[in-house]
Amino acid sequence: MGKKELLSGNEAIARGAWEAGVRVATAYPGTPSTEILENVAKYKEIYAEWSTNEKVAFEVALGAAIAGARSMTSMKHVGLNVAADPLFTSSYTGINAGFVIVTCDDPGMHSSQNEQDNRRYAKFAKLPLIEPSDSHEAKDFFKEAFKISEMFDTPVLFRMTTRLSHSKTVVELGEREEVPLKNYVKDFRKYVILPSNARVRHYVVEERLKKLQEFASQTNLNRIEEGDPSLGIVTSGISYQYAKEVFPEATFLKLGMSYPFPVDLFKKFANMVKRIIVIEENEPFLEEEIKILGYTGVEGKKYIPLCDELSPEVVRKGVLGAELPHPEPLKSVARPPVFCAGCPHTGIFYNLWRLKATVTGDIGCYTLGALPPYESIDTTICMGAGITNAFGFELARGKDFSKKLFGVIGDSTFLHTGIPGLIDIVYNKGITKIIILDNRITAMTGHQDHPGTGKTAKGEPTKAVDIKEIVKACGIDKVYEVDPHNLRGTRDVLKEVMELDEPAVIISKRPCALLPEERKKQAARPKRKVNPDVCRGEKCMGCIKLGCPAISMKDGKAYISELLCVGCDLCIQVCPFGAIS
């Protein structure tokens, strides 16, 4: 028996990749998937990279698989939208060495802009879908996914969910399988998807799907767990754990490979039970597959909510209409999310609020600029849309309106999908102004490096791309760099560009306040204090409007917490009475 460790689902996938002989791994960070590549990068046998976006990550890994190396790519659920173009075509080309795509869905939207169920992608792209139910299965099923990929000449979609990615169970470790690099043979008809070749490949895909469906009823990834025949539960993924806790005596059809649907295995299961309930998060994916077979009496979404994350409590209440007795939860103090003390975004959004600007936002920590006290962001759609939404506003409302219009985007996000939008503004003669919030890291997902930081995913030094030079190369002549902790200087630049009749880019440049090197600098700075004799307190509230979490009101006067203060001096700049020193 091998050594056992307590691993999260994401850590288990990384281990499974190493044991499966993976040579190339790519990703773009995004909760809940980020820790997969962070842990893969620890294995010296695997090349690991943070790619500029999910489409790039997908195509790099696919290229490596076609060239003969077992490869993987991982991303959060919305990231697969970015990579959808190569995803669908890769179903036609097939692979050479094994290729597995990990999608980490986010039921309940803990850190996402929507709640899409990416099992739909497997059926849409006609790819096999694998869903583990705990960390041990995540590791073992990941290895199995490569075998299926090579057995059927297909990419494999591997679906995780937030609860599974971040919860830990015991995993038995194995040894790495050294999988030799496969021979690469040029194959024009397979890998060059001209229409004439694609038409032929479509038939190959359909034939493959039939074989995969037969395999789904034979693989050990799917199993019947015999129990009380009066109730049959069909389930997959983390939903299996919830259902098993609520109905431990039932008969289960537990699906680890949920697409193509195992028709023959299901028919055997259906003949064993009197009643069938499907328990699954979000979409009625399995329920629909069963009803297509003509089993109209099957129940599922009749009891299980379509929205939000499941839990044993939700399953119990949905199916049985009952709850277990539980203690009243402790009452916690409501605290609105705010920027961290010393966050470089504070200076920008404080000024945008004062200037009453219209702002189109993007995906990142700075989305908090939409909340009080600034309430400065009008839209947040997806990565890159901070720039393109702004140009849309200009087209709809005219150039006069757009003078007080700013699109904001982070440094990592600009490199992800911001550049084409900026080119679009220049090419189509817009005057939209863009602010790139360059905090020198991919902050929101946990400080992953990107092409602008000068470090690789393995922490090795590399050439850092120059965002200012990229902006110029896009055709922007007016490029400014500001320090957002200099409030007056930043505001002067914002006012200056508002008068321009041409597009401009402001690069707000200051490292994230939570970076280790920044925290060392903060520790050396003096903590700021309020002189209560000078402070006008509730008659002013100027420093409170800064939104710094270190500042609050105490006994009618402003108060700065020494524990939270980082000595950034922003509060000194906003106090009109010199009460802070």
Side-chain angles (χ1 to χ4, degrees), residues 127-130 148 151-152 208-224 253-267 286 289:
L127 296 176
L129 170 68
I130 294 180
I148 294 171
M151 190 186 308
F152 292 94
R208 181 183 72 201
L209 204 57
K210 292 178 185 175
K211 294 175 183 175
L212 280 164
Q213 189 160 62
E214 293 175 9
F215 175 78
S217 290
Q218 301 162 5
T219 176
N220 291 331
L221 298 180
N222 296 330
R223 65 173 184 260
I224 295 174
L253 176 57
K254 196 256 186 208
L255 300 179
M257 180 176 170
S258 50
Y259 190 80
F261 191 73
V263 175
D264 291 340
L265 187 64
F266 171 76
K267 289 179 177 176
L286 300 175
E289 291 296 313

Side-chain angles (χ1 to χ4, degrees), residues 219-435:
T219 176
N220 291 331
L221 298 180
N222 296 330
R223 65 173 184 260
I224 295 174
E225 297 176 359
E226 291 192 47
D228 182 354
S230 65
L231 177 61
I233 303 287
V234 181
T235 187
S236 65
I238 193 69
S239 300
Y240 165 77
Q241 304 291 356
Y242 305 145
K244 195 73 177 176
E245 184 172 331
V246 178
F247 302 103
E249 306 300 328
T251 294
F252 275 74
L253 176 57
K254 196 256 186 208
L255 300 179
M257 180 176 170
S258 50
Y259 190 80
F261 191 73
V263 175
D264 291 340
L265 187 64
F266 171 76
K267 289 179 177 176
K268 179 182 176 182
F269 166 80
N271 287 330
M272 296 169 63
V273 297
K274 292 181 179 177
R275 181 190 181 194
I276 298 175
I277 296 179
V278 181
I279 296 178
E280 56 187 329
E281 275 179 332
N282 295 153
E283 295 293 304
F285 183 76
L286 300 175
E287 186 178 342
E288 288 177 0
E289 291 296 313
I290 295 170
K291 287 181 175 176
I292 288 171
L293 298 175
Y295 289 82
T296 55
V298 67
E299 301 166 295
K301 289 304 166 187
K302 178 180 178 182
Y303 303 116
I304 304 299
L306 189 66
C307 303
D308 216 343
E309 190 177 27
L310 292 189
S311 66
E313 290 74 24
V314 172
V315 171
R316 184 178 290 108
K317 187 176 181 180
V319 180
L320 301 177
E323 294 183 71
L324 290 178
H326 54 79
E328 287 296 318
L330 295 174
K331 290 183 179 179
S332 57
V333 178
R335 296 181 187 279
V338 294
F339 291 133
C340 304
C343 175
H345 305 327
T346 300
I348 285 291
F349 282 97
Y350 178 77
N351 276 316
L352 290 171
W353 165 70
R354 288 197 60 185
L355 293 169
K356 295 181 172 54
T358 300
V359 180
T360 56
D362 217 290
I363 305 296
C365 304
Y366 43 87
T367 307
L368 293 172
L371 303 177
Y374 314 113
E375 299 180 275
S376 290
I377 292 180
D378 292 61
T379 64
T380 299
I381 306 298
C382 61
M383 297 183 81
I387 291 178
T388 44
N389 277 175
F391 187 42
F393 270 55
E394 178 188 331
L395 296 176
R397 310 294 303 181
K399 294 189 184 302
D400 286 342
F401 176 89
S402 67
K403 285 194 172 181
K404 292 189 74 171
L405 169 67
F406 291 91
V408 299
I409 191 168
D411 48 343
S412 182
T413 314
F414 177 70
L415 297 170
H416 178 277
T417 36
I419 297 169
L422 190 62
I423 293 171
D424 191 63
I425 292 171
V426 174
Y427 174 64
N428 291 297
K429 303 178 182 180
I431 67 165
T432 299
K433 315 301 187 298
I434 302 300
I435 303 171

